[in-house]
Amino acid sequence: MIKNVVVLLLGMVAFVGAQVPGIIYQPKPSRYYVHVANGLSTLPLTVHCQSKDDDLGIHHLPNRGDDFQWNFKVNFWGTTLFWCRLERPDAYVTFETFWPESKNTWLRDRCRNGTQGTCLWIAKDDGIYLFNFPANNDELIHKWIF
Ligand SMILES: *[C@@H]1O[C@H](CO)[C@@H](O)[C@H](O)[C@H]1NC(C)=O
């Protein structure tokens, strides 16, 4: 009798684990590191990021390879949202760099550097790329507005 209950419970845990892999196999990082890097071939980049509560200021990234980064603890409700305006001398674009996800794991999947939560945005000549850590490549997500 007890044995059957134990077997049933183990079965339920395995079932839930398989349905919601994020819970058991891929714990959500509690802290995220977000980078915005200048990957432009020649132009300088200006980055201005903010959330509802924080203005991270205006940062000049004059050279290719320069990087602005910040990190934060994801709040209990998972409502943390950051957006950035990127400017180069001839174009700009504004986009969300970190946002809450509940069912969707699009961002979380890409920002998974081992156990560390790291979102790596790279401004290139043709647009803004997000590095996909598990796939080890970057993907064009946003085009510049000229
Ligand atoms: C990814 O994780 C590795 C190992 O923890 C670390 O050395 C590296 O700096 C991380 N990459 C970024 C961009 O944070």
Side-chain angles (χ1 to χ4, degrees), residues 38-47 59-67 89:
N38 182 346
L40 298 165
S41 51
T42 57
L43 297 173
L45 179 71
T46 299
V47 179
H59 297 266
H60 299 286
L61 307 177
N63 301 305
R64 185 184 177 92
D66 290 346
D67 177 276

Side-chain angles (χ1 to χ4, degrees), residues 33 35 113-114 116 118 120 133:
Y33 298 79
H35 297 248
N113 180 18
Q116 186 170 294
T118 302
L120 177 53
F133 277 95

